Structure formats: C-alpha cells, structure tokens
Amino acid sequence: MIDEKKLGAIVAAAAAEGRDALTEPEGVEILGLMGLRVPVSLAVRGSSEVARLASVPGDRVVVKVVSPEILHKTEAGGVAMVDNEPEAIRAAIADMEGRFGSYRVDGYTINEYVRFEPRLGHEIIVGYRFARDFGPLVSFGPGGIYTEFLAKSFKPGAATLFLSPDGASRDSVRAALRGNAVRELLCGGLRGTKATIDEERLVDLVWAFVEAAPAFARAGITELEVNPFVVVRSADGSGSVVALDALAKLGRIAGDELSLAPDGSVVNRAQASRPVDKIDRLLRPASAAVIGVSEKGMNNGRIILRNLIDNGFDRSRLYVVKPGCAEVDGVRCVPDVASLPERVDLFVLSIPAAQTPGCIAELAERDKAEAVIVIPGGLEEKSGTEAIVGRMRDALAASRGTKGRGPILNGGNCLGIRSVPGRYNTLFIPEYKLPMPSGQVDPVAFISQSGAFAISRVSKHPDVNPKYLVTCGNQMDVTVGDYLERLADDEAIMLYAVYVEGFKPLDGIKTLRAVRRIAASGRRVVFYRAGRTAAGAAASASHTASIAGDYPVTRALLRQAGAAVVESLDDFDDALTLFTAFVGKRPGPRLGAVSNAGFECVAMADNLGAMTLAELSAGTNERLAKVIEAAKVGEIVDIHNPLDITPTGDDDAYVRSFEAIIDDGGVDVGLVGLVPLSGNINTLAAGSAHGEDVSRPGALPERLAELFRRSAKPWVVVVDSGELYDPLARELSRRGVPTFRTADRALRMLNLWLEAAASPQTRA
C-alpha cells in the first residue's frame, strides 16, 4: 500500500504554493511510493551544475525541464535526448534556459534513457482520475501515437479499459484485461506470437493504481497519468514496464456535496442522510394524499386521483388537500397540509412549480409525509426561486435529524410512479391514450429518469406488466442508485430495466454496487445511458438538470458489474422483450435453429457472435428424418443445423422439427426463422378468402407458445416480412414468445443476454 503520509506531504507542498499540478519529479516520486519502476534520474538547478553530476547509466540521457507552468514538456521543447556527456547535457539545458526565461523553472532533470521497441502495444497509458459520479477510476490502454487511433478504431473496451477500485480484486483486474488490445499484443494472445511480458506484470501494474486510487482522492489528486509506461527486456529475457513520464493534477474533491468520511473515503453528505428505506413506503403506501386536484376539470392532479381510485387504493386513507371543498370523486378533502389527519406514506404534489418548494418545506417541518412525488420541474434551476428553494432544502435537512427522519422526494420534473403492489399510478396520461398493462405481473422493475421514455416503453410493450415503473426526473433527492440499491433486496424482481441521462455525485458508484449484487444473484439489469455526446449531454441537462458523464467509462463499468448495456433505443426495446421472456431460462452458447428460407440460415451462421452451432445427436437426426418424411420434403431437405425445411414445410413440420432440435441435449438456445409468405403455413390474420387465421386454436402461434412455456431453454422467433404479417408477430408476442423481425437483430439480443449471464458477477 502507498505511504499516505509521504503522499500527503508531496501534495501539501504543491498546494502551499497555490499550484494545481505537480511537477514531473513529484509525480515520479509518487510512482516510486507505489513500487513502480522509474528511470534513474538526477536533478540540477541549471547548466552550471552539470560538471558536478554523478553518472547516469547508458550512452544516452533524456534532459527535461521542471516547471509547474509547463505540463506538456515535449510539445514546448522541454525534452531533449542527447549523448551522456557533460557538454551535450550542459548545452541542452542552456538551450532550455534561453527558451523558458519567462516561465517559472524549478530546475532540470537528467534521466536514464530507457531503450524499448516502439511497437504497437509496447507503450502504455495508465492513469487515475476522480469522477464525481463514480469516484476514483483507473484506466489502461495503448500509449504513444496509437492512443487516439485505437480508441476510435477498436470496439469498446478493446483499446482502453476503465476500472473502479470499489469492489475490485486482482481477479477482476485480470478478467478486465482479457480482450484488451495491449494485453493481447504483449501476452501472446495473437496466433503464432510469444509473450513479451507475463500477464501478471500487467495485473501488478494496474493493481498498483487500483490500490492507490482511493489514497489519491483523499490527498486531493484529481488526475495522475503516466504516458507512457514502456515494455523493456531484462537481462534474463523477461519483460517489465518502466514509467517514462508522470502528470498529476490537483483539485477540490471534498467540498460542495462531497466530503471526507472519518475513514478517509469520499462520501456524498446528502446521499448519506437520505432515509432510503422509506422507498418501501413510497412504493407500497398504506395512505396517500394529493395536492393540485381540480374540482371541475380533469387536470393532472385529478387524473392522478382517479388513477389511485381505479387501482383500488383504500379511499378511507386517501386525501385531497384542497380548501373550500368537502370531497372530490368521493375522497375526503382537507384545507391544507396541517389538516391532514395522519402522516401519509405518499404525498403526490401536482401544483405549479412556484408553490412547490413551500409545500415541501411545510411537509418536512410538520412531518406530514414519508415520501413525496414531485411532479413539477424547475425547482432548483429557475432564477428568482433561490430563497424559497433554500427554505425547502433547510427544512428537508432539518427534518432528517428528527425522529421521523423527514420525507424522501421523487422527482421533480417527473411523471411519478406506477406501483402494482402499491395500487397506484401517478402517470397522468389518460387511459384512452395509454392503456395500462393488466393481468399477470411481470417480475420487472423499470427505472427511468425520463417520464416520456417510460410511457413510450409502456405503449410499445403492452404485454409487459412491470411490478414497478419509476420515473425519477432530475433526482433532486432520491436517485437511480437509491432505487436499485433498495429494490435489489426484492428477490421477486428478476429484471431491472434502467434509463439514465446522468448520475448525481457518487451515485454512479452506488449504482455499480447494486448492479453487482443483482447480477451475483443471477438476475439481470438492462441499462441504457443517454447523454453520450456533447449534444446529448446538453439536451439531457436541459430537462433533467443532470450532468451526463463520460459514456465509455459508464459503459465499461456497468458491463464489468454485470449489466447488459444497450447502444440504441431499439436495442433497449428488444432487450426488454427478450430478458422478460427469458426469466427462469438457462443460458448456454450452443444454438439450434430451423427456418424455411436458405438466406435466413446463412444469416444465422453469419451472426453467431459468441454462440456456436450445436451438433445434433443421432436421436435428433432420426426424429427430424421422420418429420421431413411426413412433410414429404425429404427429397429437397438435408438434415443439419440450421435446418432449412424450405417453403414446402407446413405448420406441423415447423413445430415438430424445432421441438426435436430444442429437445436435443446439445442445444442450449434456439431460433425459429419464419419467412411467412409460403402458402403452406397459416401466417395471416382472419379475413378475405384465404381461410387463414393466426389467432385460431391450434394455429402456429398457439403451438409455439405452448412449446415455449414448457421448455426450460431460451429461444426466439423471427418473422422476417412486411406489415401484412404484423398480426402474426403480435400474436406470438401476446402469447409470450419473444419475436423479432430479422435474424441478425434476434442473434444480437441473444448474445447480449448470454454475455450478461456469463459476466463474472453473474457467475459469482
């Protein structure tokens, strides 16, 4: 472990001079404290001291200027490689003395010239930085001239990887390095190549940063980057890494919302004081009140009240805060917050933004609510509201020091929550515009910053009835991480579908911890992170007041934690369909498939990803031979996987052939490719003179749905065709069979599901 006392002394000396960066010798000294190898180096104040130098090994040396005002020395001409002779060294320093006369210069260093092969992979960037959403982070990737090129050219994670020290181990570092371009190049990962360096040396290097990262944060170091570490050969032929440069920046980490805990860790003070256990009351309230209900018209408050009633909420413990009115829709009215006859579990606030802070402050001061859903937005951003918002914040903070611990707030700028167990729905969309799912409740929790995104998903997935649907808006109090942390304890929830535009300070790390717990239990998290570009971040901030962070970091950390991270809105919808349908299904990479089109069989083989085509057993081949014989297509059908039954195959051939394939012990996952234009299969909706009807008993959708229900293995159907066959796809989906419109899209989702199932957290 790093000597934090010495580290603190280095930083304190720089801070005392008002500096926001360390000099290279100070950075190199920190690397020495980490146990990392650095070149032999000597320091002088100027060219006149060169004659008194002790020797530096080698026939060449590297001369560098030392200045807190010159961070990028090479570009400024502050680095020179010269012969290891006094005159050459003196001349190089004298040249820099003339060039940097207007800068603060603390001296010069004469450094050992480290010889290495300037090949791809032999220069490495390793760094630390403090991110306000995820806390300390470590990065590892290719250095030198290859850095930007590989970052743009390689798939995510192959060039630069990111790690959170929180919960990390040497095993998790080793797992994260697998598949990284640098590791593959250096450790013999390419065909026919020998290892230049033992993999454990790279693990040692990254682990040194992982161990030191929390100490860097405590010391007030915001960034420390080594570009590059180079790979050198030792006398015995083994490889090692040497740091050639170090850049460290200082900044304010504690302060504002963040502070240092007694154990030295960085914490979010507001986050630590939130009584997040009250999320249970918020999601399953026994009593509720609504303010902002119109007596005459159907405003948002009235729609919310009606939703509560229609969802079966107990009217005897439901109240409307409205002066001058005895009741609305059979619900008792009280004139003001003070008149509420009890402290309600849920208070829904649907009044103008200008009135909202005062109402929240009164609820906190009078201890009248356990949880508040804040519908309006603009509470903390609108100019001129500072005083009343300050009162709200003060009242909320004060209430959390009382016995009741004050209320928690969901929102603002949100549509609120739909909770099936809580018997309420605050999504103030008319039922005729957004029919709510009904029937069996799916083991799904949907958490979204955006209310519009959430209701769009409800509209597109009428067959998915989530247990909870939470829209949390700008997270002015309760955050995405809070919900995931609390709902991770609900073992009945098997899928967590999350849409986030930005994390509050340190809520990213809270989210990672929750995702790791969920994944380790064998359950799944699907994550879509919006605000991934500068334009996206600006759009996100404009309506949620959240700052979107570095998307590659978010993606990498969530995937390491075990989440399935999707890259598009279509993929989110597909993943929601697939992951919901696959609850309880066993994962595995061996694919068995059937189609009636040769092109689709080729498409399957072309898009396997991490899957392989299963080898069918002799018994399965015998079953398939009988099916083909009964269908009278034996002369044109060869038995193999994928099986092409051709357009001649009928409904019975489809079902029986795929049943034989999915029953095979060597098949883990399946795909039914259905190009529905053949006249031999029933694929149209009822009507006209064709006599087909996909909804009738015994039709293909019903038979496939029955097979899906009784099979422990996961599989999907592909309906590759136009809108004439939308009823077929809808009928399959309605019956619980995950259905896609192209094979490549289905296979991409199968790979995403398998990747999440195979993550280290899921296997834990």
Side-chain angles (χ1 to χ4, degrees), residues 26 57 92 119 240 342 409 519:
E26 291 169 332
R119 293 165 50 191
S240 61
E342 61 176 310
L409 311 181

Side-chain angles (χ1 to χ4, degrees), residues 357-430:
C359 185
I360 294 173
E362 186 175 9
L363 286 166
E365 291 162 352
R366 295 182 180 276
D367 194 21
K368 285 294 187 178
E370 299 282 17
V372 183
I373 292 178
V374 184
I375 302 295
L379 304 182
E380 297 177 298
E381 300 81 34
K382 190 173 178 61
S383 177
T385 64
E386 292 82 3
I388 194 166
V389 168
R391 178 197 163 200
M392 176 192 76
R393 284 288 176 197
D394 290 345
L396 199 60
S399 71
R400 287 179 176 166
T402 65
K403 183 179 178 181
R405 299 178 298 149
I408 57 171
L409 311 181
N410 180 85
N413 192 22
C414 72
L415 291 179
I417 294 170
R418 178 180 184 257
S419 168
V420 176
R423 296 162 300 154
Y424 76 89
N425 168 19
T426 70
L427 308 177
F428 47 87
I429 308 298

Side-chain angles (χ1 to χ4, degrees), residues 483-491 496 514 517-518 521 523:
Y483 281 112
L484 280 172
E485 177 187 68
R486 196 67 188 171
L487 289 175
D489 294 331
D490 188 340
E491 296 181 358
Y496 300 76
R517 268 207 300 142
I518 293 166
S521 71
R523 297 173 291 165

